[in-house]
Amino acid sequence: MLAAALASGVRHLVVSPGARSQALALEAAALADAGLATLHVRTDERGAAFFALGIGRESGIPAVVITTSGSAVANLLPAVVEAHHAGVPMLILSADRPASMRASRANQTTLHVPMLEAFVRESVDVEPAQFGSDGLARPVDVDRLLAVSRGVAPGADGQLSAGPVHLNLQFVEPLSGPAAAATEPHTRSWSVPAAQSTPVEVGLRTLVIAGAGAGEAAEQFARDLDAPLIAEVCSGAHFGPNLVVPYRRLLRLGEFAETVERVVVFGTPTLSREVAGLCRSVPELLVVDSPGADRYRPAGREVEAISVAAVTATGAPGPELAEWRSIWVAAGRKLLSEAHQDLPVLPNGVGRDGHVDEFAAQRAFLANELAAIRAPITRESLVSAVWDATWPRDRLVFGASRLIRVADAILPGKRVSVSANRGLSGIDGTVSTALGISAANPEGLTRVILGDLAALHDVTALQLTPGEPFPQLQVIVGNDRGGTIFTGLEVAATADPGAFERVQLTPHDVDFAALAAAYGWEFERVRDVGALGQALTTRTERPKLIEVPLEG
């Protein structure tokens, strides 16, 4: 079973402990001992599934999640739903009791397949497993299931779309036997079918919007069309000469939004109401199909969909469109420059020959430099410092908090890999996802930046598994002691302050230093910009938790 998965290119096996799944778990251990797979053991099935999600997001290859029966499978659901909506491949192997025991109050027995069926590309309920030559009473085409998961073979609905698949294996006692010797599988390779290119004619004032899952194709298309580019920070297209960063402010100005004649959307925009409003009202809206189960349809608007993965611009943009694009880009750069002018620009007092010729100017310059280093950390300076410290071989993961919106509003273009679970924009599983991304990218450093509630929601992910290498990971927690993102809701102005604080802000007094110590992580609490920069750039042997207290 698992050897067939390895033959199809799978390399990562994620196991949570359980009795009914013992045969699968022991086979996974044998394959790992033989050097044929990388084994990851997680005590919590929810965290295990998000870990596998991170591997699939980073590598594009499904990781196998092995779990026992009963509520264990229910704990997979949050990550499976995210993988479904985000188009991330994953193979779930759940161990079950025979179907005859269902609905009989048998211990740890429930309906596994219906539990996940709405959110997987395909599910197979396998009759009781026997420990024969292939381990199954009837063969299962694991090779095809993995192709479905990667989006290169049609799923149960006939569509080509990456996502999770589910194999439910009914086991009868004895639940395991002597493990067969692991042998090197013959590895197959799958390639995505070449996409037919869809031409998009120039001539209209077109704004290209890149949301989560868009990828670099959006940036290339904007350049080909000579169009301004709005690219969310987690889009994979947040770079290039056509990028407009402070797009929300520009879209609030009528003279910008009203001039847009066509919008082309890549991925799924989720970070601003302004983009959704523009997409609802623009005369022509084109949506490029992206990974995931759903097509972007703002407010249910029926859109003209480009149902292929490649689009090309045809025709010459001409000087009028080039001028229109330059107005957007110049206005965005001006606003961005103003936003970053926290300190006055002063001469440093050092002449071109290296001699100090203006002592007063130099003292003023050094005083400002020192003030900048000692400045308290804001959300803006936090995301800027993390952005500055991240390089192309690194990975950056954002949680669902205020910080991703701040980053989206102020960070300049940079060609680095940024991820976020924006399929459903849930708060859960962020640290586990980042750990999976780190496992699939061991050469670089992975940083995850998130709010305190998102960190606490996934705190069990901090558990380090003995025998597994330490991840190259920094978890940066912006701690404002509660869910201050909810202060932006309209209800904050009308609700009873005490009730709003208790049920929306949900304040806490958790000691993150104690948590880090309990799980064996390095820890540092930083309170000024200089200490933050040093903490981000100092490598440690163990993964590191960096707490950044924030006010307001």
Side-chain angles (χ1 to χ4, degrees):
M1 171 65 64
L2 293 179
L6 299 184
S8 288
V10 168
R11 287 295 173 264
H12 293 271
L13 310 176
V14 187
V15 173
S16 291
R20 188 61 49 169
S21 57
Q22 60 187 261
L24 294 170
L26 292 171
E27 183 185 358
L31 291 167
D33 289 343
L36 303 178
T38 301
L39 177 63
H40 310 275
V41 179
R42 297 293 179 269
T43 58
D44 169 35
E45 289 86 4
R46 184 184 65 87
F50 274 109
F51 185 92
L53 176 81
I55 292 173
R57 187 184 295 280
E58 171 66 21
S59 67
I61 299 172
V64 175
V65 183
I66 298 170
T67 185
T68 192
S69 61
S71 61
V73 180
N75 279 292
L76 303 175
L77 185 60
V80 169
V81 173
E82 172 64 27
H84 167 74
H85 287 284
V88 178
M90 181 189 302
L91 171 60
I92 299 151
L93 295 184
S94 57
D96 201 357
R97 284 156 171 74
S100 59
M101 297 178 67
R102 295 170 188 167
S104 67
R105 295 212 172 185
N107 190 37
Q108 291 188 336
T109 304
T110 187
L111 304 178
H112 292 177
V113 173
M115 196 180 295
L116 304 179
E117 196 167 25
F119 303 104
V120 294
R121 297 291 177 264
E122 190 163 324
S123 59
V124 182
D125 194 10
V126 182
E127 296 170 357
Q130 307 294 327
F131 292 97
S133 58
D134 63 357
L136 297 175
R138 62 183 176 88
V140 175
D141 193 347
V142 176
D143 198 44
R144 190 190 66 80
L145 273 180
L146 287 166
V148 170
S149 180
R150 297 183 68 176
V152 297
D157 60 0
Q159 301 299 312
L160 288 173
S161 181
V165 293
H166 180 202
L167 194 53
N168 186 61
L169 302 171
Q170 302 171 34
F171 284 98
V172 295
E173 296 181 355
L175 298 178
S176 63
T183 58
E184 183 101 29
H186 174 68
T187 302
R188 303 174 186 88
S189 61
W190 289 99
S191 58
V192 178
Q196 178 184 356
S197 179
T198 296
V200 175
E201 294 285 344
V202 302
L204 295 179
R205 291 180 175 178
T206 301
L207 187 64
V208 178
I209 296 177
E216 296 185 359
E219 191 276 333
Q220 182 64 55
F221 178 74
R223 277 191 289 144
D224 292 343
L225 204 65
D226 202 12
L229 170 67
I230 289 174
E232 293 181 344
V233 70
C234 57
S235 66
H238 192 81
F239 63 94
N242 294 23
L243 180 66
V244 179
V245 174
Y247 62 88
R248 297 179 216 179
R249 295 173 64 184
L250 292 182
L251 289 178
R252 295 188 197 117
L253 302 175
E255 59 265 33
F256 282 89
E258 292 172 5
T259 61
V260 180
E261 298 171 324
R262 175 172 59 194
V263 166
V264 180
V265 177
F266 289 73
T268 307
T270 63
L271 293 177
S272 77
R273 296 180 179 180
E274 290 81 5
V275 162
L278 176 64
C279 289
R280 285 193 296 267
S281 61
V282 70
E284 184 177 331
L285 177 63
L286 304 180
V287 175
V288 179
D289 272 358
S290 60
D294 311 308
R295 175 176 296 134
Y296 180 65
R297 292 189 300 133
R301 174 179 177 176
E302 292 301 323
V303 298
E304 182 180 347
I306 303 173
S307 59
V308 292
V311 291
T312 56
T314 61
E320 181 182 350
L321 292 180
E323 181 181 1
W324 184 73
R325 182 261 308 153
S326 68
I327 291 173
W328 275 81
V329 173
R333 289 177 180 173
K334 183 175 185 295
L335 290 175
L336 191 61
S337 176
E338 292 171 355
H340 284 278
Q341 287 179 348
D342 297 324
L343 295 173
V345 179
L346 297 174
N348 63 13
V350 179
R352 292 184 178 181
D353 57 0
H355 294 288
V356 176
D357 51 15
E358 295 183 45
F359 287 97
Q362 188 191 48
R363 284 194 296 271
F365 173 79
L366 293 176
N368 276 271
E369 289 287 294
L370 185 60
I373 292 173
R374 293 179 174 174
I377 301 171
T378 64
R379 290 179 181 82
E380 290 76 12
S381 59
L382 172 57
V383 298
S384 294
V386 174
W387 191 248
D388 290 343
T390 303
W391 296 95
R393 74 172 184 173
D394 297 333
R395 299 294 183 265
L396 182 57
V397 182
F398 278 98
S401 68
R402 290 174 68 179
L403 293 170
I404 191 173
R405 286 175 167 80
V406 172
D408 187 61
I410 70 166
L411 292 183
K414 190 176 183 180
R415 199 167 188 164
V416 296
S417 177
V418 181
S419 298
N421 287 339
R422 303 303 294 181
L424 285 182
S425 304
I427 193 177
D428 48 348
T430 309
V431 178
S432 295
T433 302
L435 284 162
I437 289 173
S438 176
N441 180 49
E443 300 303 317
L445 176 66
T446 298
R447 294 183 176 91
V448 53
I449 177 170
L450 72 174
D452 47 303
L453 291 188
L456 293 175
H457 202 289
D458 201 25
V459 72
T460 57
L462 301 179
Q463 181 178 339
L464 301 174
T465 305
E468 295 185 17
F470 291 139
Q472 296 293 314
L473 186 73
Q474 291 179 348
V475 175
I476 303 109
V477 180
N479 185 7
D480 52 18
R481 299 181 64 249
T484 61
I485 190 173
F486 299 120
T487 58
L489 298 175
E490 290 83 352
V491 71
T494 58
D496 174 76
F500 185 81
E501 180 178 27
R502 184 179 183 188
V503 302
Q504 293 294 145
L505 300 183
T506 56
H508 66 87
D509 198 20
V510 172
D511 186 343
F512 279 95
L515 278 178
Y519 286 107
W521 284 52
E522 299 282 343
F523 176 81
E524 189 170 354
R525 181 181 292 112
V526 295
R527 298 185 181 276
D528 60 58
V529 172
L532 174 61
Q534 187 173 10
L536 291 170
T537 54
T538 301
R539 296 295 181 105
T540 56
E541 292 185 3
R542 287 175 172 264
K544 186 173 186 178
L545 178 64
I546 301 172
E547 180 188 5
V548 183
L550 297 171
E551 297 297 330

